[in-house]
Amino acid sequence: MNRILFIVCPFSSTEAFIRKTFGDGHFFLTVPGAIPDLEDAFTLETIRNLIVEKGVRSVRVVNDTSCRFIDAVVGGRDLKGMPAAGSLSETYAASGLGRAAGLSRGDLRARLAECNVLRQMERMEESPAFKDAMKVFGVRSKGIVTCRETGRIMDLNTRVRNRVVHEH
């Protein structure tokens, strides 16, 4: 079985939705905002162990549009002391979404989730430890934006920068 490691935000409660869509037998790493600390030895060791010992061959970064950090950033609320909110604020500012006219709050949340997932995938692909695992064990990274409210799943791929939307 090709096992998947899903990196998810624990406050988005996406695990059941993902299990329903992808089945059981996969793994979850929960970090606020789905923003893993790639400098943290414990995080890197956990990911490596799942790859080596459990046969994970795909790592998928997942953000749901209901993520409380994404909602706070889009709504202009400050979550002081929360690194995930700070990182998402930087992504929001860099993306220009705050200046985007005509987008609903839901559209802004979906776009920020997409920007965050792509940013985290790029960080992983640039991380020497993760890059080695990708090369040695054939691990692939992929991004997913979910909307549990509508049952939508959008697959993202950094290399071709395309979107594939599935209705579930």
Side-chain angles (χ1 to χ4, degrees), residues 11-15 17 64-66 146-152:
F11 305 108
S12 296
S13 303
T14 55
E15 289 91 339
F17 181 64
D64 193 80
T65 57
S66 69
T146 61
C147 180
R148 288 180 299 122
E149 296 141 353
T150 63
R152 292 181 69 167

Side-chain angles (χ1 to χ4, degrees), residues 26-100:
H26 303 296
F27 301 94
F28 292 87
L29 175 63
T30 58
V31 291
I35 302 170
D37 181 354
L38 298 176
E39 304 296 318
D40 178 60
F42 179 76
T43 299
L44 292 173
E45 187 64 26
T46 298
I47 293 171
R48 181 165 175 71
N49 286 342
L50 288 168
I51 290 169
V52 174
E53 296 173 16
K54 302 295 184 183
V56 165
R57 293 299 173 259
S58 179
V59 176
R60 300 186 187 187
V61 179
V62 181
N63 254 162
D64 193 80
T65 57
S66 69
C67 174
R68 69 186 272 186
F69 300 110
I70 287 174
D71 191 55
V73 169
V74 168
R77 293 189 315 275
D78 187 14
L79 297 176
K80 292 199 184 303
M82 297 299 296
S87 178
L88 284 165
S89 291
E90 290 171 15
T91 301
Y92 189 68
S95 70
L97 286 172
R99 297 182 303 278

Side-chain angles (χ1 to χ4, degrees), residues 88-131:
L88 284 165
S89 291
E90 290 171 15
T91 301
Y92 189 68
S95 70
L97 286 172
R99 297 182 303 278
L103 292 177
S104 70
R105 187 175 178 131
D107 289 339
L108 285 171
R109 288 190 336 235
R111 296 265 181 93
L112 181 54
E114 180 179 341
C115 289
N116 182 53
V117 166
L118 289 171
R119 181 175 180 209
Q120 300 318 311
M121 290 171 55
E122 287 170 354
R123 285 180 61 239
M124 284 191 312
E125 291 169 0
E126 292 168 359
S127 162
F130 192 77
K131 203 185 292 187

